[in-house]
Amino acid sequence: MAGRRTASTTCAQIVLRWLSLDGSPEDVARWVSLLSPDELERARRYRSSRDRDRFVAARAQLRLVLGSLLDTAASEIALAYGPSGKPFLADGGLEFNLARRGAVALVAVTRNEHIGCDVERVRREPPVDGVAEQFFTSDEVQQMRPLDESARVPAFFRGWTRKEAFLKANGVGLAGGMGSVEVTLGEHEPAAVIWCAPRFGTAADWSIVDVTQVPDLVAAVVVEAPRAEVADAARPPWWLQP
Ligand SMILES: CC(C)(COP(=O)(O)OP(=O)(O)OC[C@H]1O[C@@H](n2cnc3c(N)ncnc32)[C@H](O)[C@@H]1OP(=O)(O)O)[C@@H](O)C(=O)NCCC(=O)NCCS
């Protein structure tokens, strides 16, 4: 993220789209035609054809989502990259982030606010306690400790996705330090940033939205605004209304 900005004082309205990344050969051919030369070069570097096609599917459908919101042809969307690789629109207009897990991806878009998302598959391996000891703050580890395993595993993935989405919103990726943000983990507590390192502003600058529409997957979206809501067809975001 290029420098800190003043956090929004309004409610961020977020457009979310789930993407399916396994398409027919015809789909893949159509998606390839939408990519830029640098994206095609990156696609070529994948050793596995399945991984290559999923990258192509994610990039092309990201372009289609952004193109429909900006009323621009998908192939004409110009992407640029931050110092840690976060893609952004070279000409501005919207903020977005993407997360991929296997055959699905999540795209989160907002008008002005820094945004990040993460998707993880809930699984028992590796044992979550050891990973939490290494990457979570001591207060987060304390939040997990009293829970039995059936509650501790989802609490861990809730925490992980919220923390990673926070780092992605800031454009720093995991190198930004999972310990530089503390989040709520409880199933029945509101999703929130409890504390963050001062270089990321204050906890009140940030909102978390849980997104759990796909079985076995847990996803979180973090946005730099004191409040956030997910828009839908019945309630389109203010920034799409004529
Ligand atoms: C960003 C990061 C957390 C993603 O982790 P992941 O769980 O493997 O992947 P996800 O599916 O959640 O996200 C991948 C998407 O996030 C986006 N992304 C890439 N780098 C990003 C960053 N620094 N911040 C936010 N989003 C980023 C891209 O859209 C990427 O999709 P793509 O691979 O199709 O281009 C991880 O790759 C990371 O820490 N990257 C930073 C590396 C770095 O510091 N590099 C410095 C030298 S370039």
Side-chain angles (χ1 to χ4, degrees):
M1 186 166 77
R4 291 217 55 73
R5 339 180 273 196
T6 310
S8 165
T9 51
T10 56
C11 178
Q13 290 184 301
I14 303 166
V15 167
L16 293 180
R17 296 280 184 271
W18 285 99
L19 312 178
S20 168
L21 304 184
D22 285 345
S24 66
E26 293 75 24
D27 290 329
V28 177
R30 189 168 45 88
W31 288 331
V32 162
S33 73
L34 302 178
L35 267 49
S36 64
D38 65 298
E39 289 168 332
L40 293 172
E41 176 51 34
R42 191 174 151 200
R44 267 193 288 274
R45 290 202 296 268
Y46 279 93
R47 292 210 181 134
S48 140
S49 59
R50 189 189 68 174
D51 293 348
R52 181 188 61 226
D53 289 352
R54 285 180 175 173
F55 166 74
V56 165
R59 259 326 149 89
Q61 292 182 83
L62 169 68
R63 286 174 166 278
L64 288 163
V65 170
L66 295 173
S68 75
L69 296 171
L70 290 164
D71 203 15
T72 304
S75 59
E76 283 170 19
I77 302 274
L79 297 177
Y81 297 88
S84 298
K86 182 175 184 178
F88 64 91
L89 285 164
D91 301 325
L94 294 173
E95 299 276 330
F96 71 90
N97 197 226
L98 176 143
R100 301 194 268 137
R101 199 57 50 205
V104 295
L106 176 67
V107 175
V109 186
T110 188
R111 177 70 183 84
N112 290 315
E113 300 85 2
H114 290 130
I115 190 161
C117 60
D118 186 42
V119 180
E120 300 289 341
R121 190 165 300 283
V122 177
R123 56 193 189 278
R124 277 167 216 292
E125 295 293 331
V128 297
D129 295 337
V131 182
E133 293 279 349
Q134 196 179 345
F135 292 103
F136 281 20
T137 67
S138 51
D139 281 1
E140 287 166 340
V141 173
Q142 292 299 330
Q143 287 187 64
M144 280 177 59
R145 200 157 277 153
L147 304 175
D148 64 29
E149 198 196 348
S150 64
R152 212 159 64 242
V153 171
F156 169 81
F157 283 101
R158 228 176 274 128
W160 185 278
T161 51
R162 291 172 185 179
K163 288 158 80 68
E164 184 172 331
F166 178 88
L167 295 174
K168 291 180 74 183
N170 283 283
V172 291
L174 297 180
M178 289 296 255
S180 60
V181 58
E182 190 166 292
V183 298
T184 54
L185 306 176
E187 188 182 359
H188 302 295
E189 329 171 62
V193 173
I194 296 172
W195 167 89
C196 63
R199 64 183 178 282
F200 300 125
T202 67
D205 298 335
W206 296 92
S207 298
I208 302 179
V209 178
D210 278 326
V211 194
T212 44
Q213 285 164 3
V214 180
D216 299 333
L217 292 182
V218 52
V221 177
V222 171
V223 61
E224 192 178 22
R227 288 179 301 123
E229 65 186 20
V230 177
D232 58 29
R235 291 172 305 143
W238 65 264
W239 43 269
L240 269 188
Q241 289 169 25

